[in-house]
Amino acid sequence: MDFRNIKRIKRKANGNTALDSYCSRLQLYKVPPTDTISLYEFEEYAIERLKVLKAIETASEKYVKTSDEYDTFMWGQLRTTQFAKLTKSHKSQTEDEEDNFARLDHISHFILRLAYCRSEELRRWFMTQELDLFRFRFKTTSDQEKRQFLEQNDLHYESLTPDERSSICEKLAAASNTTSAVVETVEFFKVHFTEALDLVQRRKVYVSRGQAYVQYDDMISLLTGVYRSHLSQALAKTARALPHLEEDERLLPMLSGLSKRYLGADYSIKKNNVGQITADMIDMLSKKAFPLCMQSLHVSLRQSHHLKHGGRQQYGLFLKGIGLSLEEAMKFWRIEFCKLIDVDKFDKQYSYNIRHNYGKEGKRADYTPYSCMKIIMSNAPGPGDSHGCPFKHIDQDLLKQRLKTMNIGDQYLDKIVSEVKTGRYNVACTRYFEATHKLPLEYQAQAISHPNQYFEESQRASNGESKVPVIGTPRRVGSQGASQATQGAKGPDGNTTRAPARDEMDDDFDITDAELSMQA
């Protein structure tokens, strides 16, 4: 792909790259890339950065951002991606290596900016993860690189002179919760209080006559404000420019699919429990081990003895993923549907679709169960439909009323509703898992990103394999971060070549018009 209309940055005569403005691990991504890349690289770069952002989301869910455990987890996740060397000292890298990794970082950011500018929800998620990535890099960057970053981006904050610092030393010490002796050795900056509102809110700075006095260690609060403002404006501009890409049939499907991409375990792979789950077990399993979306579909099926196509796809592929064989699936759907229709009508109108999902008809593809992201972001339910994500697609008052009938404690209920209100539906599902499995409030389940992951975690909890973390480990009780997390501590896949074989970019259908006419 050719990023045009931007003046190319040449290599300087002294041998340094003219990409110096973003070779640092810290950058504001002000200048779009001008490289020509292949579609393969386009997808690969996007997936690599998406792995990092998903890992950041998981880390934010599991650990306090200022804890050592958060840093340890992040280091471990970054090592599984091509971004690993962006966290290393530049002294250990050659100039070409610096260029390559800066190029990956820069281009991948702009690709995901294209993919995540489409809606307010996507923009909010992208900004949250990018800001956390910026904070992590700032924390692990040398003072020299930090000052270089400030200079390159014309961020000139006024430092306090020794006389000014001495005159308000006691007040600075009180605001910083330290001693006057320490204040004398720390650099302070004077900024307008509106640039440090989060520090003012936490009462971590001394404010006088509209000026906030920020110490060097709290500089990240100022920079994240600058980054947030810049990225918000950039995403808005990108969204307005996006219609111009409609003429490129290669990029649009890829960009729209990136925001739905699932990077966790591949549940299309045959599990060891295939054949161990039978149609007779579904009722029992649905009451305890199914996520709320699949419980809703099961209840609707039992009540109306029918599900529309969207519901059959979502529920049928989920059952396939937990180990229900094709023979048992045919039995399960036939028994329920035939309470209203005869067997011949079922065989003519519905059996083909079931066999198609198991790869026995059509192009014989082994279709994968839907991830949470796909359920949330695509094919919203209409009147009479039962599919979708209850935490997103059900009215909040009705959802709260339904949860109350399930005897969920008020503490859990408040946490679930709070996550729903902020649009973090996966986090709400995770809190629901903790509530229905009677886990202690201090316990943090692995972030749910797939209905089949919920089922597997439920089975482990029922078998006593889930353990409450050791007391003293900083775990998040009030979650911060967005919803679509990677699967537990394993984090994103370390594969650096292509996307997972069964990705979520397409609609998972390859049914002709003739085949669709056979379905209800």
Side-chain angles (χ1 to χ4, degrees):
M1 178 186 179
D2 190 9
F3 296 89
R4 298 184 184 276
N5 302 323
I6 300 293
K7 184 179 179 181
R8 286 189 176 274
I9 304 175
K10 305 292 185 179
R11 182 175 294 273
K12 294 179 181 178
N14 60 6
N16 296 325
T17 69
L19 302 177
D20 284 340
S21 61
Y22 61 82
C23 267
S24 170
R25 284 167 284 179
L26 299 174
Q27 57 170 308
L28 296 182
Y29 305 98
K30 291 183 176 180
V31 181
T34 60
D35 299 52
T36 299
I37 63 174
S38 66
L39 286 175
Y40 175 84
E41 287 179 307
F42 186 95
E43 181 181 10
E44 181 184 17
Y45 286 8
I47 293 301
E48 285 302 305
R49 192 174 195 90
L50 194 55
K51 289 177 185 178
V52 174
L53 299 188
K54 294 285 188 180
I56 289 171
E57 184 184 41
T58 300
S60 299
E61 276 296 306
K62 294 172 69 66
Y63 305 107
V64 177
K65 293 178 183 178
T66 56
S67 68
D68 292 337
E69 285 77 9
Y70 179 91
D71 293 346
T72 301
F73 180 84
M74 281 302 303
W75 285 118
Q77 296 305 300
L78 288 173
R79 291 191 189 99
T80 67
T81 71
Q82 293 187 33
F83 281 80
K85 293 188 178 181
L86 282 173
T87 61
K88 294 182 179 180
S89 170
H90 288 276
K91 295 180 181 179
S92 62
Q93 300 177 24
T94 66
E95 186 178 85
D96 288 340
E97 286 178 325
E98 289 183 25
D99 284 358
N100 290 336
F101 291 112
R103 181 173 180 267
L104 165 64
D105 178 43
H106 198 69
I107 294 177
S108 64
H109 170 87
F110 279 89
I111 294 174
L112 289 195
R113 189 185 288 185
L114 285 170
Y116 281 85
C117 70
R118 296 170 171 271
S119 68
E120 180 62 31
E121 186 177 3
L122 291 175
R123 289 194 291 269
R124 184 169 56 247
W125 183 88
F126 181 66
M127 283 186 60
T128 299
Q129 314 317 321
E130 284 287 340
L131 285 170
D132 283 347
L133 176 60
F134 182 80
R135 289 190 190 96
F136 180 75
R137 284 180 171 176
F138 185 87
K139 183 166 55 175
T140 57
T141 298
S142 67
D143 287 345
Q144 180 181 355
E145 288 180 298
K146 291 176 183 177
R147 295 184 184 278
Q148 182 183 6
F149 167 78
L150 294 175
E151 182 181 350
Q152 289 171 346
N153 291 278
D154 295 324
L155 298 173
H156 303 297
Y157 296 109
E158 182 181 355
S159 297
L160 291 186
T161 64
D163 291 341
E164 288 177 319
R165 184 168 52 190
S166 297
S167 64
I168 56 174
C169 183
E170 293 182 0
K171 295 177 180 178
L172 293 176
S176 305
N177 194 26
T178 184
T179 64
S180 298
V182 174
V183 168
E184 292 291 345
T185 63
V186 176
E187 184 176 4
F188 279 82
F189 298 94
K190 182 168 60 175
V191 300
H192 196 270
F193 78 96
T194 55
E195 297 185 51
L197 289 178
D198 58 333
L199 295 176
V200 174
Q201 182 183 23
R202 290 182 284 156
R203 300 185 177 184
K204 290 193 62 178
V205 291
Y206 171 61
V207 180
S208 176
R209 297 181 180 182
Q211 298 294 316
Y213 297 86
V214 181
Q215 62 177 319
Y216 179 78
D217 289 343
D218 291 329
M219 174 67 68
I220 183 61
S221 295
L222 304 178
L223 298 180
T224 52
V226 173
Y227 190 16
R228 182 185 290 107
S229 176
H230 166 72
L231 185 55
S232 178
Q233 295 177 18
L235 286 170
K237 290 180 181 178
T238 305
R240 291 194 295 269
L242 199 61
H244 297 293
L245 286 177
E246 291 182 355
E247 60 189 30
D248 196 328
E249 297 179 354
R250 303 167 303 166
L251 292 183
L252 275 184
M254 191 179 298
L255 289 173
S256 61
L258 281 173
S259 60
K260 307 172 189 175
R261 182 73 66 129
Y262 171 69
L263 300 176
D266 185 358
Y267 291 100
S268 66
I269 299 174
K270 300 300 183 183
K271 306 292 184 180
N272 294 330
N273 60 343
V274 171
Q276 297 179 9
I277 304 295
T278 65
D280 299 333
M281 300 167 62
I282 301 301
D283 274 333
M284 176 190 66
L285 292 172
S286 67
K287 296 176 182 178
K288 183 68 176 179
F290 284 13
L292 189 59
C293 58
M294 300 306 169
Q295 285 185 28
S296 300
L297 285 165
H298 185 79
V299 170
S300 179
L301 176 62
R302 288 305 194 199
Q303 290 176 346
S304 63
H305 312 298
H306 184 270
L307 286 178
K308 290 188 175 181
H309 184 263
R312 297 199 305 273
Q313 287 298 122
Q314 182 175 322
Y315 192 38
L317 291 173
F318 168 79
L319 294 177
K320 171 190 173 185
I322 70 173
L324 192 69
S325 66
L326 174 59
E327 292 73 18
E328 289 295 321
M330 293 292 289
K331 176 183 175 182
F332 172 77
W333 292 102
R334 183 183 290 111
I335 290 175
E336 200 58 45
F337 274 49
C338 288
K339 292 179 180 179
L340 292 180
I341 62 176
D342 57 44
V343 176
D344 289 341
K345 186 175 182 180
F346 173 84
D347 290 339
K348 289 179 180 179
Q349 294 189 2
Y350 301 104
S351 61
Y352 178 91
N353 185 226
I354 299 171
R355 291 174 54 80
H356 186 275
N357 285 344
Y358 279 80
K360 303 300 181 182
E361 301 288 352
K363 69 177 183 181
R364 301 185 182 276
D366 190 12
Y367 292 105
T368 181
Y370 292 176
S371 68
C372 291
M373 182 66 80
K374 180 158 186 171
I375 294 172
I376 290 170
M377 299 302 299
S378 62
N379 193 23
D385 286 330
S386 303
H387 64 276
C389 173
F391 298 106
K392 178 178 181 180
H393 298 122
I394 294 181
D395 178 78
Q396 290 185 16
D397 291 335
L398 292 177
L399 175 64
K400 190 172 182 179
Q401 181 179 346
R402 179 175 176 182
L403 293 174
K404 285 183 177 179
T405 63
M406 303 174 70
N407 297 320
I408 293 178
D410 290 339
Q411 287 179 301
Y412 285 112
L413 182 60
D414 291 341
K415 290 169 66 177
I416 294 172
V417 173
S418 176
E419 301 295 357
V420 171
K421 288 181 178 179
T422 57
R424 302 193 312 219
Y425 308 112
N426 287 72
V427 181
C429 187
T430 306
R431 302 291 88 84
Y432 173 79
F433 176 90
E434 295 166 356
T436 55
H437 290 76
K438 309 300 181 185
L439 299 176
L441 284 173
E442 67 271 14
Y443 180 82
Q444 287 288 287
Q446 293 187 11
I448 302 299
S449 59
H450 201 293
N452 292 85
Q453 176 199 352
Y454 184 106
F455 176 81
E456 291 188 352
E457 292 297 323
S458 176
Q459 295 294 87
R460 292 192 186 100
S462 299
N463 295 332
E465 296 178 19
S466 295
K467 299 179 180 180
V468 177
V470 178
I471 296 176
T473 302
R475 298 275 180 170
R476 295 206 63 83
V477 176
S479 299
Q480 311 228 358
S483 55
Q484 282 65 47
T486 53
Q487 184 182 6
K490 292 182 180 179
D493 185 3
N495 186 359
T496 60
T497 54
R498 289 290 288 178
R502 295 301 317 144
D503 61 54
E504 297 295 334
M505 288 180 61
D506 55 31
D507 290 330
D508 282 344
F509 300 113
D510 186 38
I511 306 178
T512 65
D513 292 338
E515 294 167 352
L516 282 172
S517 66
M518 301 173 63
Q519 303 176 9

